[in-house]
Amino acid sequence: ESARPCVVMARATWRTNGTRGMQVRRSANPTDRAASLKLMDMATGHWKSAVVREFTGMDVPAALKDGPLPYEEIARRCGMHVGAGTRFLRAAEGLGLLVKEGEMLRLSEMGALLDKERSDSFAYTALLESSIPHVLAWTGLQEFLTTGEKSVQSTLKVDNYWELFNPESAFPNHVELFSKGMSSGSNIEVASVLRSEVDFSVHKTVADVGGSEGKLLIGLLEACPGSTGVVVDLPEVVGRVQVPAHLEGRMSTSAGSFLDRSAIPSGMDAYLLKHIIHDWDDEPSVQILSNIAQAMQDGAAVYLFEMIVPEEDGPDLSKMFDLHMGLILSGKERTVEEFETLLQAAGLKLLEVHRTESHIFILKATKS
């Protein structure tokens, strides 16, 4: 008798599928089965991230901009090996990035957001967060957990994340991707901020501190025609700011570090800090906020635009980003109480917290 594979089956747990006569196993314990599937989904999360990265990077949305195409044609247009590309596109369809129409594929609503040409594109944010440096940074999680210190020295061979922006780093193109990723995500966040219940028009002069390309300030000035503003950031950053023609005379730039009190313009009505404080541990965060407080006049306000870690249990993006910030920057995401503690240490008082349609909140404070 020929050897046969050793397969152990519980016959009582199998039934016949009426369509093809296939035998399908029933789970003896549906709860355990659901839990194991969820664990598998978590354990293979990096597979999905890679699919999103190449779906965007190889411009599948651009190939499908004029409508559905056969698998093979999409693969050819994107420079993929036809066989491997067909399998890849099948996986992307399984993730909901594509929709089948007969033997062809079209973009889903979610997949279309990865079109780099859209004004509300999520493409560069997806490329940044799924980038190889970010993937490698997470391989240092055990080191972070045992030392409490960021692990980029061992995972990325730099002393801190910002050194990746050096042209001589192992990832010389990362600075461009970072800039585009921040800009891409900022479009969504700024729109949600401007649709919030906060009335920024009461502030006639505004400083966007650490404002990068000035997306937040541009959006605010367009929504508040009676206001003027300045973007404050490092010299190499503000040098890239492009002031729109319709905002000339109302928008300017100022080079300097928010860690330096003298770089913060005094006497403004409002100070904006979007995704600044989460980059830093408590001590430098208090220093930044203290510099703002010292520059503020009575009645002025400071607005923080940040994720907030909820007090209640359950999944929340902020909980994962909190680990990410610890891995790459010694930064952290914070609860409302933790923000309040920082503000008090800097001589500020938290007045209001507003949720937006996106994942960020608006925290408003004044001098205490």
Side-chain angles (χ1 to χ4, degrees), residues 30-202:
T31 301
D32 287 351
R33 176 65 175 160
S36 64
L37 287 174
K38 187 171 183 179
L39 285 171
M40 177 61 79
D41 189 55
M42 292 180 184
T44 58
H46 58 293
W47 297 359
K48 297 178 181 180
S49 177
V51 169
V52 170
R53 182 178 64 244
E54 302 310 331
F55 184 91
T56 309
M58 298 188 79
D59 290 323
V60 175
L64 289 168
K65 64 180 180 180
D66 295 325
L69 289 173
Y71 288 73
E72 295 83 358
E73 181 59 24
I74 301 171
R76 279 192 286 267
R77 291 191 182 191
C78 294
M80 300 177 187
H81 177 278
V82 171
T86 297
R87 294 160 66 182
F88 172 81
L89 294 167
R90 180 175 61 189
E93 182 273 328
L95 293 181
L97 299 174
L98 298 168
V99 177
K100 283 190 70 174
E101 288 190 354
E103 297 302 312
M104 298 198 294
L105 292 168
R106 65 172 174 83
L107 288 172
S108 68
E109 184 176 344
M110 181 168 60
L113 284 172
L114 297 173
D115 180 353
K116 297 172 185 173
E117 301 303 317
R118 283 179 57 147
S119 60
D120 61 346
S121 174
F122 195 73
Y124 289 105
T125 299
L127 286 172
L128 174 64
E129 299 305 347
S130 63
S131 67
I132 299 303
H134 283 206
V135 172
L136 289 176
W138 274 80
T139 64
L141 181 58
Q142 185 180 68
E143 179 183 342
F144 170 68
L145 294 176
T146 54
T147 67
E149 301 293 333
K150 61 181 182 293
S151 57
V152 290
Q153 290 95 337
S154 59
T155 58
L156 298 175
K157 311 305 179 188
V158 292
D159 288 334
N160 64 73
Y161 181 80
W162 307 123
E163 288 186 11
L164 290 177
F165 297 178
N166 188 326
E168 298 179 359
S169 78
F171 305 96
N173 297 322
H174 192 69
V175 61
E176 180 181 0
L177 177 58
F178 181 85
S179 179
K180 289 181 177 180
M182 290 294 100
S183 179
S184 173
S186 190
N187 290 334
I188 297 170
E189 293 171 350
V190 169
S192 73
V193 166
L194 296 178
R195 287 194 294 266
S196 74
E197 58 191 11
V198 179
D199 181 11
F200 294 100
S201 67
V202 299

